Every structure is written in structure tokens, then in C-alpha cells.
Amino acid sequence: MATIVAKHIPGMKEPVYYYQRSCRVKLHPSDVGKGPGSGPSRVKTETIYLGTADHIRDRCRAGTPPQAVHAKAFGWVAAVLGMIERLGIIPAVDRLVPKRHQGLTPGTYVALGILAKLCAPDKSWRGFGPWIQKTIVPERWELPSTLLDSQNFWDHWDLLCPEATLVPTTDEAPLLETDTILRIEEAIWDRVQTQYQMRLDEVLYDATNCFTFFQPETAASIAQRGHNKAGRDAQRQVGLALAATRDGGFPLLSLVYRGNCHDAKLFPESMTRLINRIARLQHDAHHLVLICDRGNNSQANFQALMAHDTTDSAIQVDVIGGLVAAHHRDLLAKPLKAYPYTYENLRVWTGERTVYGLSATVVMTYHPGLAARQRRALDRQIKRAHGALQEYWTTHSRGSSATRQAGLAKLQTKLRGGRFWTVSVDDHNRLQLRANRVARATRYQEQGKRLLFTTDRSLTVAAILSAYNRDKVQVEDDFRVLKAPDLVRIQPLRHWTDSKIRVYALVCVLALLVLKLMVRTISEHQLGMSAQVLKQELADIQEIYLQMNPTTIHRVLTTRSTIQQQLYDLFDLNKYAPERDSTTLPLHTANG
């Protein structure tokens, strides 16, 4: 029995209080029972000093401080989880890649991969398990920590794209693709179309490459040396082609290909898969405008594209693209007074011409600012070429005149500004460098100009320029997001087999899709902010675990700013939060 007892201490004006609890205990621990013969016992009294009445009041007002405080990532993680669930990524994968009812499903590992790329892009798969224990995910999804190591990811990703079924890529067959990966992308886009009704009649297409740190003996056939866009030509690389919607740049199709394959060689197969996908996602599609860059240009590519019939329906395809200036010198030679139109800050000429065997509208633009920048760059190249040629002639003074001149001619062809100099040697074996004024004047006249074309004769000049100059950069922005260290971080690729590279690319592209849909959500509600700012604002919302005693904790969310509260409501994060932001749970719940 427990009670509070007041005692008057001599010399004190106020009584002090004690907590007292009395109970009978056996003298011998082995004795049990309360009746006669159960063994001798004695009364034991427990006394705890509580203090004066004022002291007890102050302690009650102050409350009991927690014994420990833990923080877990909440805001950004919960928002990503919500978008993954909204798109139905887990059931879409599990329908196409079934497995026994044992452990986590392949779809769960794909979703966890997306979560890792958006929330912890700097973590390796080996470090994923310890990181995710510091988030709300294990509790919300009931994830056992024993199934979150890197080997579990490899095993389940192999179900999506078994290594044994892959045929190594070659120069003749550079594309690494499986039907399962295509069907997974398509199934997720079915859900996207249901919820967002994206326009698929105008599509952006481009390709990039991602470098690796593979050793030469690594067996991945898809990783080859080539011209790397990050300047890492010495490293093996993997190519990634991306088709994205013009309305927002949402990744519609991703293709992984051999790192040394030219973009134009991949183009026909990419278009076949793209048109088939559009036909299946939008059954009434009959017209497609493809916006692509000059790297895909060839007569065979475009003529095959114009006559393309899919297996599901016939879709008429038109192209908006760029032209290589060197192939149309006669157009570049036109004086500025022949440009009859203006569009924003551009001078514009337009006309009809046969391009790659197709009748097309050609648009040529002139931008004075671009011309000035290009002229400055050219002048620097010419100056560097002059110095390099002089240096070569001086440092190779011991060789014969014929050998030196041959080396000089070879160097001149390599230098960007070399052809703007006329090189000769006088009778005294001295180098003479004279400006090639004709070549310079021709280049100066061409600077600031850009050539575009379209096979869609109904498009206006404004529509052509808007599509190529303004909207095409969205797919380039997609590549920047994929490669950004703090967003998706697709490179450097650290997967060393063809199948794992392909699934990893799928996960990164799906992470890009999730991120761009989240940005679209906030823009629709007039909350204009970049992906980096959105991530930072939501990442500041954390869930705090207050351990009050060995068996009980309280969960609360950190205080939210006005903009954080708007984002909290917009992404419906309350469904992942503790009820009323405060609750009492068994201790094992907090520890996950």
C-alpha cells in the first residue's frame, strides 16, 4: 500500500512530505504463498523524500524532463513516400515481377531505391540500412533491418532483369533493353496519365552519358570508352537516352545503350520504342511532334521516322530539329538586311528547303549577343593558335626544315584557331604567320546564327523557336537533375554488371519522375520554388522521439514555418505523422 506522509521537522515552518510504500516480503526467496506454512516474512517500508509543498508544486509545473531525445527524418521522406504510393510504383512492379510471399517484394526494393536516390543520394547501398533506420520509413512500412543490406537489393533487382538472360551489347546492337523494364515504365505511366493527363503529342528527345570508375577487367559490356560530356574520356561510360514530355519535361521513356555508340545510330530503335509507347498510352494518338538536336540527323533516320507505322496504330511524325551550319553555307552568307522578321531579341529569316530528302520549313536566327560572345571566343582561339605555332617552331629548332614544317602543318589542323593563320617559312628559315582574312571574315559573318527546321509546315516561326530554343532545354535540365550530387546523383555508376546498371538507371529515372511531379504539385498551387529549395524546406521537418522512462516515449513534430505548413498540407503529410503530433507508444516502436 502506498501513501504520502507529512512530517514536521523541528526548526522548519512547513511540513515536508514523503512517499511511503509498505509491503510484506519473504525472508527466504524460495518461499511462496501468503497462507500459514508459506514461510516467515517481514514488513518492508520504502520511503522517498518529496520535499515541501512548494517544492512539489514547482516540480509538477516544470514537468519531468525526458531521459533521451531522438530525431528522425520526416518531412522530405514522407513527401517522397506519398508520391511513390500515389503513383502505385510498388504494385506496378510486383504485378510484373511476382515472387513468393517471403520477405520484401521487388516493388518495395525499387521504391526504396527511389527513396535512397532522392533522400540520401550520397549513401551507398551498403550504407542504406543504417541510414533508413534514422527515418520514419521502417516504422511506417514495417521494414525489418535484416532485409535492407546491399545483397537483398542485388537479389531482387536480378528478378527485374536477370543477368543470365541478357545478351552482351555489341557495336552493331548497342541497346541494352528488356521487356520487363519497358513494361514497368509503361505501367507507371498508365497511372501518371490517369492522374495528370499529360500531353504526349509533343516529345523532347536527347541522350547523355554517365561515367564510371570501372577497372578494365570489369565485364560490363555496356560500359565503353567514348566522348564523355563531363570530360572524362579516359573513363568507361554508359549511354542514357531520354524521351520527355514537352509539357514539363517528365521522363516518358529511358533507354540504356553502349557507351561508344553514336546518338544517330541509336535513333531508329529509340523512335520505334517511343512511338509504340505513345500509341499504347494514348489510343487516339495520331500525330507526334518530335523535338531533337543535331546529333540525331541523318537522311535515313528522318525518312524512316516520317514513314513509321506502329503495331498498334499509325502515328504521323514530324520533327523540329537543328541543322549543322557547315552544310548550309549559302544560308549563313545571307546579309542581315535579308532577315525580314523579328522574334523577341532575334532577327529571323525563314524559307522552304529540302532537308535530308524531306520538304521542310527552315528558320535562321541571328542574335547579336551570341555573335559577340562567339567572336570573343574565336579571337581567343586565334591568339592561342598563334602562340602554339610560334612555340612549336622555336622548341623544334634542331630538326630539319621539312620535318618541322610537317609537324607545324599537323599542329595547325589540331588547333581550333589554326586555320585562321597562313603559315610559311622565309628564306632565312624563319616562321611567318599571316592572318587568313578570308576565313576570318567568313566565320565572323556566320557567328550569332542558328539554323532550325521542321517538317510540320503548319507551325509558325514563333512555335518553332519556342519549341527548340525554350522547351528543348527541359530534357537537358532532366540530365542536370539526374547528375546533380544533391538530387539524384546517377553518376558515377558503381554497378558493374549490365543487368544491375539497367535497373539502377530505371530507379534513377523513376526518382526523376517523382521529383518533377512534386515540383509540378507545388507550382500548381502558386508555390514557386526549385527542387533543391523544396527538398530543403521539407527536410527541416523532423519527428522527435522523447523517451520519458524506460517503457514510454512521446512523438512530436518540429515547429513548422508558414511555408512548411503549406507544404505539409499540400502533400498530406499528416497521414504519416503521429496522431495530434503527440502520442504515447511502447519504447520498441521508437527504436523501430
Side-chain angles (χ1 to χ4, degrees):
M1 180 177 179
T3 186
I4 294 178
V5 178
K7 292 186 178 182
H8 293 272
I9 307 298
M12 295 188 65
K13 296 181 180 180
E14 299 179 8
V16 295
Y17 296 88
Y18 290 85
Y19 165 88
Q20 285 189 353
R21 173 176 172 270
S22 299
C23 61
R24 182 173 292 277
V25 296
K26 297 292 184 182
L27 296 179
H28 302 289
S30 58
D31 293 340
V32 294
K34 296 183 179 180
S38 61
S41 63
R42 65 180 179 87
V43 176
K44 180 180 178 180
T45 301
E46 177 186 12
T47 302
I48 299 176
Y49 174 75
L50 299 179
T52 64
D54 290 342
H55 186 202
I56 296 173
R57 178 200 61 195
D58 293 342
R59 289 181 63 184
C60 291
R61 286 179 175 177
T64 303
Q67 298 178 1
V69 179
H70 309 280
K72 290 192 175 185
F74 174 81
W76 180 241
V77 172
V80 174
L81 287 184
M83 186 58 71
I84 289 173
E85 292 174 353
R86 181 175 181 179
L87 296 180
I89 291 177
I90 294 178
V93 176
D94 291 341
R95 281 195 303 270
L96 296 167
V97 189
K99 60 166 282 188
R100 291 185 302 167
H101 296 291
Q102 180 180 7
L104 303 179
T105 66
T108 303
Y109 283 101
V110 170
L112 291 175
I114 296 170
L115 189 75
K117 296 312 299 179
L118 289 179
C119 300
D122 58 327
K123 300 296 182 184
S124 68
W125 298 118
R126 289 186 177 88
F128 176 79
W131 167 80
I132 203 171
Q133 295 300 327
K134 299 176 182 179
T135 73
I136 64 167
V137 181
E139 175 187 331
R140 301 315 194 271
W141 278 6
E142 299 181 357
L143 300 178
S145 58
T146 56
L147 299 180
L148 298 177
D149 61 3
S150 58
Q151 190 59 52
N152 281 284
F153 278 91
W154 310 151
D155 292 343
H156 286 79
W157 285 11
D158 196 57
L159 297 176
L160 274 69
C161 183
E163 189 73 31
T165 64
L166 289 182
V167 177
T169 60
T170 62
D171 292 338
E172 292 72 27
L175 188 63
L176 179 66
E177 201 51 81
T178 65
D179 290 340
T180 302
I181 298 294
L182 289 173
R183 290 199 301 269
I184 288 173
E185 267 190 344
E186 200 168 293
I188 294 170
W189 261 93
D190 272 329
R191 187 67 174 266
V192 172
Q193 284 297 88
T194 300
Q195 298 190 22
Y196 296 95
Q197 292 82 43
M198 299 287 186
R199 287 186 57 191
L200 303 182
D201 56 341
E202 295 178 316
V203 174
L204 314 168
Y205 174 80
D206 204 354
T208 189
N209 45 52
C210 305
F211 66 85
T212 73
F213 290 136
F214 290 169
Q215 296 299 318
E217 62 272 13
T218 304
S221 66
I222 203 166
Q224 301 292 331
R225 286 188 176 87
H227 176 64
N228 185 261
K229 297 186 178 181
R232 295 177 174 264
D233 292 348
Q235 306 292 341
R236 294 167 69 182
Q237 66 182 18
V238 174
L240 175 66
L242 202 65
T245 63
R246 184 182 175 186
D247 178 18
F250 299 97
L252 176 63
L253 173 71
S254 65
L255 300 170
V256 174
Y257 62 97
R258 194 175 176 90
N260 58 357
C261 175
H262 192 276
D263 294 350
K265 187 175 182 179
L266 181 72
F267 188 78
E269 185 65 24
S270 300
M271 292 302 101
T272 298
R273 296 184 182 276
L274 173 62
I275 295 171
N276 287 339
R277 172 157 298 179
I278 292 174
R280 285 192 287 268
L281 290 175
Q282 190 170 313
H283 299 294
D284 59 346
H286 62 276
H287 185 226
L288 169 65
V289 176
L290 179 72
I291 306 165
C292 58
D293 63 8
R294 293 183 293 269
N296 303 288
N297 291 0
S298 80
Q299 183 166 331
N301 281 350
F302 288 139
Q303 289 189 343
L305 184 61
M306 296 303 106
H308 199 291
D309 289 337
T310 69
T311 57
D312 298 308
S313 64
I315 297 180
Q316 177 190 349
V317 182
D318 282 303
V319 176
I320 299 176
L323 295 174
V324 179
H327 299 167
H328 302 273
R329 298 287 187 191
D330 60 320
L331 291 180
L332 296 178
K334 289 182 179 294
L336 289 181
K337 62 182 181 181
Y339 289 53
Y341 309 110
T342 58
Y343 176 77
E344 296 181 351
N345 55 353
L346 300 174
R347 299 283 297 274
V348 180
W349 175 91
T350 183
E352 305 298 326
R353 175 168 284 216
T354 299
V355 176
Y356 300 110
L358 303 170
S359 179
T361 299
V362 176
V363 176
M364 181 168 54
T365 63
Y366 172 79
H367 189 291
L370 175 61
R373 291 193 297 271
Q374 290 178 341
R375 179 156 189 163
R376 289 194 296 269
L378 178 61
D379 290 343
R380 288 194 297 267
Q381 293 171 3
I382 292 173
K383 185 177 180 179
R384 282 196 294 265
H386 182 277
L389 293 169
Q390 287 279 18
E391 182 182 4
Y392 179 88
W393 189 257
T394 303
T395 56
H396 291 77
S397 59
R398 294 187 178 183
S400 66
S401 179
T403 302
R404 295 168 73 192
Q405 291 187 50
L408 200 66
K410 185 177 181 179
L411 176 62
Q412 187 179 9
T413 59
K414 290 183 178 180
L415 295 170
R416 290 188 174 183
R419 70 185 186 89
F420 299 101
W421 292 103
T422 300
V423 181
S424 62
V425 179
D426 64 13
D427 296 337
H428 301 285
N429 204 33
R430 290 177 299 193
L431 180 65
Q432 300 292 325
L433 294 176
R434 295 182 177 85
N436 187 338
R437 300 187 183 282
V438 175
R440 295 188 188 190
T442 301
R443 176 56 65 88
Y444 289 149
Q445 186 182 37
E446 296 174 351
Q447 288 178 338
K449 298 177 181 178
R450 175 176 289 179
L451 287 171
L452 308 177
F453 79 98
T454 180
T455 58
D456 188 347
R457 309 290 289 278
S458 66
L459 293 178
T460 64
V461 171
I464 297 169
L465 295 176
S466 176
Y468 195 89
N469 291 349
R470 182 177 301 162
D471 295 338
K472 190 176 73 67
V473 299
Q474 292 183 98
V475 70
E476 297 166 2
D477 289 339
D478 286 352
F479 290 140
R480 280 191 282 271
V481 172
L482 282 170
K483 297 179 181 181
D486 57 339
L487 290 178
V488 179
R489 197 174 185 167
I490 191 174
Q491 67 178 7
L493 292 174
R494 303 187 186 276
H495 300 258
W496 53 91
T497 63
D498 287 342
S499 68
K500 303 307 181 296
I501 290 172
R502 184 60 191 103
V503 179
Y504 175 71
L506 170 69
V507 167
C508 290
V509 172
L510 292 179
L512 172 65
L513 176 62
V514 167
L515 181 61
K516 291 189 74 71
L517 287 173
M518 294 174 71
V519 173
R520 173 181 172 135
T521 300
I522 62 174
S523 65
E524 288 176 344
H525 290 78
Q526 288 72 49
L527 295 175
M529 62 180 70
S530 66
Q532 289 91 340
V533 174
L534 171 63
K535 179 178 179 179
Q536 182 179 355
E537 289 288 350
L538 286 174
D540 287 342
I541 305 176
Q542 293 186 312
E543 186 168 291
I544 307 301
Y545 290 70
L546 306 173
Q547 182 177 334
M548 308 308 296
N549 55 55
T551 60
T552 305
I553 65 167
H554 294 295
R555 293 190 309 181
V556 295
L557 295 182
T558 53
T559 303
R560 299 179 287 280
S561 66
T562 302
I563 185 65
Q564 287 173 342
Q565 185 61 48
Q566 288 179 288
L567 296 173
Y568 182 93
D569 297 335
L570 183 58
F571 289 105
D572 193 19
L573 302 189
N574 193 56
K575 65 181 180 181
Y576 298 101
E579 186 176 356
R580 297 184 303 278
D581 285 4
S582 179
T583 186
T584 303
L585 299 174
L587 184 60
H588 65 80
T589 303
N591 293 339

